């Protein structure tokens, strides 16, 4: 790294604008001559050389310089905003019905656009690796850009000297010359103290400063943003954040997802209440109820029992459960236990639970050679009747549809069950195959002697619960609060400095602020009131 030696003898790093020792302006490897350059000083970092301006040799230097660039940070933010906008064109997978195939759902609901959207992976955009990479790169850019700028500025402001070079004074935006024999410096300092300035003196030179903390506002913003981004990224770590869904049928005990097998829930009963236009309390909704043309849910809840597993978790072993709490989940009133919350989110009424069939002659439904019951949640492969008849289930379609002339199941839930049965009569060696569903009973060969018919069925309600665990909210809230503190800190206060330099026939005065120059001029006018110091001029306006 090249170095620049000031006329005062101090060695400055390459890229330094102001000498770290005497404060004399430097440009390139030579001091600025007042006759050569009339530009005002760039006081953004008080003349300190940033690392990104002085090192550019190794890979580390190049990576550092890349991420320290404000332009790079802006482009990363723009790309992330565009990606986020694309992610909102169609609903994300987490917002589509949980019991449907995502590929089919996007194709059926949104056509070609939906199919392309799914194939490109935009249905899970906010959890994709490249979106996470963009967020991480923004965080890295914020960290490096802050470090690259904060420490040089902090070092310079901490070591400020009241005594400055004449060119430093002349090249400040606010500058004035007073030629007077009597300047009341005591009144000047008294006025500064009234305005809550801190005063530093050196050989008759005076530096007055206030609100230096306002310069740290953007860096406080960055700290808040970094904490916010970390909290957002932790939402993809199961230990910190869980957002899952579970269907639980009445009478069923199921493991709660995201709890690693530690907690279970039993659905004792599901209750649904609807608005009734004949009810006095619901009479005011009569018009809306009639317009709807069907029942409108008023409230629904799940009466449930939460269990905790007490034995060691071994795959295949039946869990030993202890009741943790007997409670209810209602709309906006979740079941809470440990770090988890179960929210009442959805339901399905009258889902098939069991179906009972009988075997009879093909042409006579009054005959009955035996009955068997199929548990639709866990059907057996084979049923042997006391009469000697044997029935095998060759295919089971929980929710069947006909696609391209063949039955398929569009979900694993028994909403519209259908079966392919093979019947083995006791007095025949030939098996008979038939297809049976609601509204369909097809003889596969057309020559069957027997027929399997539906006798009875049982239904049950199913509750849908959202499983939530969120340890990231405090971190995200902390990041947001720190960010707002930084906004207030940098927006409502201005860092102001006033230099006064004694001369043989008067004084020079110069001022600088990071913003709101008009307010600085007004404050200087109040400070010099009665001191015989002439009002300084705004050289930026003069230049224009």
């Amino acid at each position: 790294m090249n170095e620049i030696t000031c006329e005062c003898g101090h060695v400055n790093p390459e890229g330094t604008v102001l000498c770290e020792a005497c404060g004399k302006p430097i440009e390139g490897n030579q001091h600025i001559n007042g006759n050569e350059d009339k530009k005002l000083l760039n006081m953004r970092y008080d003349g300190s050389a940033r690392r990104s301006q002085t090192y550019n040799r190794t890979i580390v230097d190049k990576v550092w310089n890349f991420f320290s660039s404000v332009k790079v940070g802006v482009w990363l933010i723009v790309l992330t905003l565009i990606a986020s906008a694309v992610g909102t064109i169609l609903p994300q997978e987490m917002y589509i019905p949980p019991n449907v195939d995502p590929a089919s759902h996007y194709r059926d609901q949104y056509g070609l656009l939906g199919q392309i959207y799914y194939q490109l992976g935009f249905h899970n955009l906010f959890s994709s690796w490249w979106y996470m990479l963009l967020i991480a790169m923004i965080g890295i850019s914020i960290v490096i850009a802050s470090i690259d700028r904060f420490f040089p500025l902090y070092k310079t402001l901490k070591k400020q000297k009241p005594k400055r070079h004449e060119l430093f004074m002349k090249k400040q935006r606010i500058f004035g010359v007073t030629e007077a024999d009597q300047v009341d410096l005591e009144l000047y300092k008294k006025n500064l103290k009234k305005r809550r300035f801190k005063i530093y003196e050196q050989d008759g030179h005076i530096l007055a400063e206030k609100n230096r903390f306002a310069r740290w506002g953007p860096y406080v913003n960055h700290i808040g943003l970094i904490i916010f981004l970390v909290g957002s990224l932790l939402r993809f770590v199961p230990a910190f954040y869980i957002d899952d869904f579970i269907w639980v049928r009445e009478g069923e005990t199921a493991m709660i997802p995201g709890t690693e097998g530690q907690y279970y829930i039993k659905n004792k009963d599901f209750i649904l209440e609807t608005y009734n236009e004949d009810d006095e309390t619901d009479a005011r909704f009569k018009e809306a109820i009639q317009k709807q043309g069907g029942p409108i849910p008023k409230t629904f809840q799940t009466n449930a029992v939460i269990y905790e597993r007490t034995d060691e978790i071994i795959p295949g072993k039946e869990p030993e459960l202890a009741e943790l709490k007997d409670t209810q989940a209602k709309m906006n009133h979740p079941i809470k236990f440990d770090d988890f919350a179960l929210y009442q989110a959805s339901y399905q009424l009258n889902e098939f639970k069991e179906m009972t069939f009988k075997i009879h002659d093909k042409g006579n439904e009054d005959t009955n050679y035996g009955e068997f019951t199929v548990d639709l949640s866990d059907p057996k492969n084979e049923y042997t009747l006391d009469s000697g008849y044997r029935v095998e289930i060759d295919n089971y379609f929980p929710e069947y549809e006909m696609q391209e002339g063949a039955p398929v199941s569009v979900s694993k839930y028994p909403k519209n069950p259908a079966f392919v049965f093979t019947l083995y009569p006791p007095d025949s060696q030939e098996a008979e195959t038939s297809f049976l569903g609601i509204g369909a009973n097809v003889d596969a060969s057309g020559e069957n002697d027997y027929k399997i018919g539906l006798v009875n069925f049982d239904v049950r309600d199913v509750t849908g619960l959202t499983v939530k665990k969120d340890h990231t909210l405090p971190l995200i809230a902390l990041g947001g609060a720190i960010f707002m503190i930084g906004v207030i800190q940098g927006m409502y206060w201005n860092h102001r400095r006033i230099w006064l330099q004694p001369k043989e026939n008067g004084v020079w005065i110069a001022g600088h602020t990071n913003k709101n120059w008009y307010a600085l001029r007004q404050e200087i006018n109040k400070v010099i009131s009665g001191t015989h110091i002439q009002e300084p001029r705004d050289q930026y306006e003069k230049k224009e």
Side-chain angles (χ1 to χ4, degrees):
M1 181 184 69
N2 296 327
E3 295 176 334
I4 307 171
T5 302
C6 178
E7 292 178 352
C8 68
H10 182 76
V11 178
N12 299 277
E14 182 183 11
T16 303
V17 179
L18 301 177
C19 177
E20 295 177 347
C22 67
K24 188 173 182 179
I26 301 174
E27 184 170 304
N29 292 331
Q30 296 179 349
H31 288 99
I32 298 174
N33 187 300
N35 297 324
E36 295 173 353
D37 195 344
K38 299 295 184 180
K39 294 190 299 183
L40 299 177
L41 282 180
N42 182 354
M43 296 286 289
R44 179 173 295 178
Y45 305 108
D46 270 50
S48 296
R50 293 183 281 125
R51 187 188 192 281
S52 58
Q53 296 175 323
T54 56
Y55 296 88
N56 193 27
R57 294 181 180 179
T58 66
I59 295 296
V60 175
D61 296 336
K62 295 182 183 300
V63 171
W64 181 278
N65 296 345
F66 175 80
F67 282 106
S68 67
S69 170
V70 174
K71 291 183 180 179
V72 170
V74 171
W75 272 109
L76 288 174
I77 293 173
V78 169
L79 290 175
T80 304
L81 289 175
I82 294 174
S84 301
V86 171
T88 62
I89 294 175
L90 297 179
Q92 293 289 288
E93 183 179 349
M94 67 179 72
Y95 298 115
I96 69 175
N99 57 341
V100 300
D101 177 53
S104 302
H105 176 81
Y106 282 96
R107 181 183 65 249
D108 297 340
Q109 294 293 322
Y110 308 107
L112 180 61
L113 173 63
Q115 187 173 0
I116 296 174
Y117 198 82
Y118 177 81
Q119 291 176 347
L120 291 176
F122 292 158
H123 64 295
N124 278 322
L125 185 144
F126 297 106
S127 58
S128 61
W129 66 268
W130 58 269
Y131 188 82
M132 292 295 99
L133 182 62
L134 280 175
I135 297 296
M137 290 176 69
I138 290 175
I140 293 172
S141 177
I142 291 173
V143 171
I144 292 181
S146 299
I147 293 175
D148 190 59
R149 290 158 173 80
F150 172 79
F151 287 102
L153 180 61
Y154 175 79
K155 180 181 177 182
T156 301
L157 293 181
K158 187 178 180 181
K159 296 182 178 180
Q160 290 184 96
K161 294 184 178 181
K163 190 175 182 178
R164 290 288 190 167
H165 194 274
E166 290 184 356
L167 284 179
F168 176 89
M169 299 287 289
K170 289 180 178 179
K171 291 183 177 297
Q172 294 300 317
R173 175 169 170 175
I174 305 297
F175 175 71
V177 176
T178 299
E179 295 182 356
D181 295 332
Q182 295 181 349
V183 174
D184 195 341
L185 295 180
E186 292 300 322
L187 179 58
Y188 173 75
K189 289 188 283 186
K190 184 178 179 180
N191 290 341
L192 287 172
K193 291 179 180 179
K194 285 182 179 180
R195 307 298 300 175
R196 297 188 298 277
F197 278 89
K198 290 184 178 180
I199 300 175
Y200 307 91
E201 296 187 59
Q202 180 185 9
D203 300 333
H205 297 251
I206 299 174
L207 166 63
E209 181 184 30
K210 68 186 294 187
N211 300 336
R212 184 191 298 182
F213 69 93
R215 295 291 288 273
W216 315 133
Y219 305 102
V220 175
N221 289 148
H222 290 176
I223 293 172
L225 282 175
I226 292 167
I227 295 174
F228 188 92
L229 289 175
V230 170
S232 300
L233 291 174
L234 287 178
R235 293 174 78 88
F236 297 93
V237 179
F240 289 90
Y241 182 80
I242 290 175
D243 184 0
D244 214 326
F245 195 88
I246 180 174
W247 290 104
V248 190
R249 288 151 184 80
E250 285 181 324
E252 180 185 28
T253 300
M255 183 184 72
I256 300 174
T259 64
E260 298 181 352
Q262 191 65 32
Y263 295 100
Y264 288 72
I265 181 173
K266 179 180 180 181
N267 182 358
K268 292 170 55 181
D269 188 27
F270 178 77
I271 301 172
L272 172 67
E273 294 182 12
T274 58
Y275 287 100
N276 185 356
E277 60 182 283
D278 298 326
D279 190 290
E280 292 183 1
T281 58
D282 298 339
R284 53 181 174 165
F285 305 116
K286 183 176 180 179
E287 184 179 347
I289 295 172
Q290 292 176 346
K291 186 176 181 180
Q292 178 70 19
I296 301 176
K298 184 177 184 179
T299 182
F300 48 95
Q301 74 176 53
T302 303
N303 296 336
V305 180
I306 305 297
Y307 295 99
E308 183 176 8
R309 186 166 188 168
T310 57
D311 62 329
E312 184 180 357
I313 300 176
I314 299 176
K317 180 184 176 182
E318 286 294 322
E320 297 178 7
L321 304 177
E323 182 176 325
L324 188 64
K325 64 191 306 184
D326 191 332
T327 182
Q328 303 86 31
K330 301 179 182 179
M331 290 297 295
N332 302 320
H333 294 85
I335 299 173
K336 295 184 178 181
F337 61 95
D338 197 10
D339 295 327
F340 298 90
L342 300 178
Y343 290 85
Q344 183 69 65
S346 185
Y347 62 88
Q348 293 180 7
L349 299 179
N350 301 327
E351 181 185 274
F352 289 102
K353 179 182 179 183
E354 296 178 341
M355 282 186 167
T356 302
F357 303 92
K358 75 171 184 177
I359 303 172
H360 59 85
D361 291 327
K362 185 176 181 179
N364 186 0
E365 294 186 2
D366 294 333
T367 57
N368 189 340
Y369 297 107
E371 299 181 357
F372 63 96
T373 300
V374 178
D375 182 353
L376 299 178
S377 297
D378 187 21
K380 298 179 181 178
N381 293 326
E382 182 180 304
Y383 296 86
T384 302
L385 282 62
D386 295 338
S387 58
Y389 290 82
R390 184 165 58 90
V391 179
E392 291 183 357
I393 299 179
D394 290 340
N395 271 309
Y396 169 45
F397 308 96
E399 185 179 1
Y400 97 95
E401 289 182 359
M402 297 298 294
Q403 294 183 7
E404 298 180 358
V408 296
S409 183
V410 296
S411 78
K412 62 181 180 179
Y413 303 106
K415 298 179 180 180
N416 185 24
F419 307 86
V420 175
F421 288 123
T422 299
L423 172 64
Y424 295 90
D427 55 353
S428 175
Q429 298 298 323
E430 294 185 5
E432 298 183 358
T433 302
S434 60
F435 175 81
L436 179 61
I438 298 175
N441 197 332
V442 181
D443 182 347
S445 65
E447 300 178 355
N448 290 350
D449 295 327
Y450 299 95
K451 194 172 185 180
I452 299 176
L454 178 64
V455 177
N456 197 8
F457 61 86
D458 189 16
V459 296
R460 60 184 172 182
D461 298 331
V462 186
T463 184
L465 301 170
T466 299
V467 184
K468 289 276 191 179
K469 181 179 80 169
D470 195 349
H471 291 318
T472 65
L473 279 180
L475 199 60
I476 291 174
L478 176 63
I482 293 176
F483 179 84
M484 291 308 300
I485 290 172
V487 169
I488 295 171
Q489 181 178 342
M491 182 178 293
Y492 293 100
W493 284 275
N494 315 131
H495 180 214
R496 296 173 181 172
R497 288 174 290 175
I498 305 172
W499 293 271
L500 187 132
Q501 191 172 97
K503 295 296 180 180
E504 294 182 358
N505 57 343
V507 294
W508 286 7
I509 189 170
H512 178 268
T513 182
N514 59 327
K515 60 182 178 179
N516 201 345
W517 292 90
Y518 177 79
L520 174 63
R521 291 176 61 184
Q522 295 301 310
E523 190 153 43
I524 291 177
N525 289 339
K526 293 177 182 179
V527 167
I528 63 177
S529 176
T531 63
H532 305 293
I533 300 175
Q534 295 180 7
E535 178 184 351
R537 303 178 65 180
D538 188 335
Q539 298 194 94
Y540 184 79
E541 294 179 355
K542 179 181 177 181
K543 181 178 179 181
E544 290 183 337

